[in-house]
Amino acid sequence: MSLVRPGFSVLSDEFDADPYGHFARLREQAPVHYDPAIGSYFLSRHRDVRQVLTDHRAFTTKTLQARAEPVMRGPVLAQMTGAEHTAKRKIIVRAMTGEALREQVRAVRVHAAELLAPLLARGRMDLVNDFGKPFAVHMTLNLLGLDSKDRQRVAAWHSGVAEFITSLALTPERRRHCMDCARQLEAYLLPVVERRRRAPGTDLISQLCTAEFEGTALSDRDIIALIINVLAAATEPADKTLALLFKHLIDHPGQLAQVRRDPALLPAAIAETLRYTPPVQLVPRQAEKDTVIAGTTVPAGATVFCMIGAANRDPGVFADPDTFDIHRPDLGTARSFTAAAQHLAFGTGLHQCVGAAFARAEIETVAAMLLPRLDRVRHSPGFRYRETGLYTRGPVSLPLDFTPLRAGGTRAG
Ligand code: 2IO
């Protein structure tokens, strides 16, 4: 195996083009890689990532003050600790599980069918841009209880917010653009919150507006930050996960045929997609004291990025880690969307993804609809696959050809 080149940076074009091609070398030769271009440490071994994400005393989420708070317009859930974190997490969990989740699943079916109808008739679609992105925004609006007629504006503001939290280096111009988006989103949300305080419904914004913490209602600022938090966290990884799932299945026709024959295999296919190509590649933490990790001292105050894609391909945890295999025994599908997950796509520890059950239900429902409708699905001719993003990562586009479906569901000739 060749060496991690001196001067190697995660900001290089070669890393951006194929991070997976660098992970084995990083794990073996530079498991705690200091990147001077960013002034931060990058961890690539599964056990080190797990250690950082579960040692809440030594590694905190204070990085989010600079990385998220400016565009979130206040503190996000992951920044909170103690009783406040427990109480506010519970409010969000309640809006994304149980009967609330069953309502979301019904909404997924209705909306996916609407969006798909014209695309299915054409016999080709870009799964990312024609379907995944508008679908993800719509389902997040439905979860929050925002009006779907505002989807284009909200989607544009969301892009700016997402760009801010997922950029490792922002130019002053881009930063200004992102901040503009965040302020406009905040101005749009403020009257919504006022209305929902007066006339609450059953949506997540209403839950936040009527909730109390230590006998006091949440402030507008706190509510808006949690809304933008959920908006970004539910939208940004969703289209990526769906597109990556179909990419891997199309590239592994045997496994695609098995999932078609037995849709009960879908959770395993989604879990393996999340392990193999996690849509959220980096999770930042701040070291609170000098800590030795894999023989390297990470100094107090340093920012540490957990490389989820690298940890998920650690051969010490997953056999033959660079192979996509929905049957792998070391995945533990049943646990894959819970706190006991072996892959780290949802993080781990106290701040593990609060939306994991929602994510699973959303992707599983829509994938189960797509599979029987995308007969003979394949990459469109001449398509060259490209992924982008160091923080959140997914296909730029995924043009697919399939047998066109007529209205009413019969296959065209
Ligand atoms: C939104 C990266 C999309 C979260 C973030 C500022 C906080 C937190 C995450 C995920 C996914 C986003 N971090 N969700 O990594 O809420």
Side-chain angles (χ1 to χ4, degrees):
M1 173 158 298
S2 55
L3 285 166
V4 178
R5 199 169 38 72
F8 164 82
S9 172
V10 299
L11 289 187
S12 62
D13 291 341
E14 47 159 347
F15 184 76
D16 180 58
D18 178 25
Y20 297 101
H22 291 79
F23 288 155
R25 268 191 312 262
L26 282 168
R27 278 191 309 263
E28 281 161 30
Q29 298 164 21
V32 183
H33 163 72
Y34 177 73
D35 207 302
I38 311 172
S40 305
Y41 293 81
F42 287 78
L43 309 189
S44 45
R45 287 186 185 166
H46 192 280
R47 55 170 300 196
D48 299 336
V49 168
R50 189 182 277 286
Q51 180 198 328
V52 163
L53 293 180
T54 49
D55 185 346
H56 302 287
R57 218 189 277 274
F59 296 95
T60 65
T61 54
K62 286 183 187 153
T63 42
L64 294 175
Q65 263 162 36
R67 291 210 56 88
E69 226 183 289
V71 285
M72 298 286 154
R73 316 306 292 151
V76 297
L77 191 62
Q79 283 172 274
M80 297 171 195
T81 55
E84 184 190 15
H85 177 253
T86 309
K88 294 186 177 171
R89 186 170 167 110
K90 206 180 264 172
I91 301 169
I92 313 254
V93 168
R94 218 180 298 129
M96 303 179 104
T97 51
E99 181 46 36
L101 183 59
R102 282 190 284 280
E103 197 283 315
Q104 297 305 320
V105 167
R106 287 192 287 275
V108 167
R109 292 210 185 92
V110 171
H111 186 64
E114 268 170 30
L115 253 182
L116 279 174
L119 300 171
L120 293 177
R122 287 198 330 219
R124 63 184 335 176
M125 72 162 114
D126 174 353
L127 191 62
V128 175
N129 299 293
D130 294 337
F131 181 76
K133 284 189 179 185
F135 170 75
V137 171
H138 190 98
M139 293 328 301
T140 305
L141 294 181
N142 187 68
L143 165 69
L144 288 166
L146 291 171
D147 198 323
S148 70
K149 77 169 163 32
D150 300 326
R151 62 187 177 276
Q152 257 144 4
R153 287 193 295 163
V154 176
W157 295 325
H158 163 261
S159 299
V161 166
E163 180 180 344
F164 185 97
I165 57 176
T166 65
S167 287
L168 294 180
L170 264 186
T171 64
E173 295 78 55
R174 291 316 293 171
R175 191 189 160 90
R176 226 173 296 127
H177 165 77
C178 295
M179 290 302 298
D180 282 346
C181 288
R183 285 197 205 94
Q184 289 175 45
L185 180 56
E186 180 184 29
Y188 162 81
L189 289 172
L190 202 54
V192 175
V193 169
E194 272 162 28
R195 279 200 300 277
R196 235 36 84 76
R197 281 196 198 277
R198 275 184 268 117
T202 55
D203 53 82
L204 178 48
I205 294 182
S206 296
Q207 308 283 327
L208 291 169
C209 287
T210 51
E212 287 188 354
F213 174 62
E214 291 177 344
T216 318
L218 277 61
S219 67
D220 287 352
R221 177 173 182 265
D222 288 349
I223 292 173
I224 285 174
L226 288 174
I227 296 172
I228 303 180
N229 183 182
V230 171
L231 173 67
T235 309
E236 177 64 16
D239 64 280
K240 297 174 177 64
T241 307
L242 182 67
L244 289 163
L245 169 70
F246 275 84
K247 160 85 166 82
H248 301 326
L249 288 176
I250 290 167
D251 291 349
H252 299 84
Q255 298 183 56
L256 173 59
Q258 289 170 347
V259 177
R260 279 192 192 285
R261 238 178 289 127
D262 181 7
L265 289 171
L266 254 181
I270 297 167
E272 175 66 348
T273 297
L274 291 170
R275 181 200 70 85
Y276 190 61
T277 49
V280 180
Q281 291 273 322
L282 297 175
V283 175
R285 288 293 185 262
Q286 178 174 306
E288 295 303 320
K289 53 180 179 118
D290 292 6
T291 310
V292 179
I293 305 175
T296 299
T297 303
V298 174
T303 294
V304 175
F305 284 98
C306 297
M307 303 180 94
I308 305 300
N312 277 357
R313 293 186 182 213
D314 191 323
V317 178
F318 298 105
D320 202 1
D322 294 322
T323 299
F324 178 84
D325 177 7
I326 65 173
H327 302 294
R328 60 170 54 252
D330 44 20
L331 185 62
T333 302
R335 288 178 288 136
S336 272
F337 303 89
T338 73
Q342 188 67 335
H343 70 79
L344 297 171
F346 294 121
T348 187
L350 283 174
H351 298 293
Q352 186 175 43
C353 179
V354 66
F358 175 83
R360 173 189 173 162
E362 181 183 32
I363 301 301
E364 205 180 304
T365 306
V366 72
M369 290 177 71
L370 282 165
L371 280 171
R373 288 167 175 82
L374 299 181
D375 180 48
R376 294 191 57 233
V377 66
R378 57 213 181 262
H379 296 296
S380 298
F383 170 64
R384 245 193 87 245
Y385 182 71
R386 202 164 71 81
E387 289 182 2
T388 186
L390 294 178
Y391 201 112
T392 53
R393 185 173 182 87
V396 177
S397 65
L398 197 70
L400 301 177
D401 283 18
F402 48 90
T403 313
L405 263 186
R406 287 202 203 93
T410 55
R411 268 172 198 131

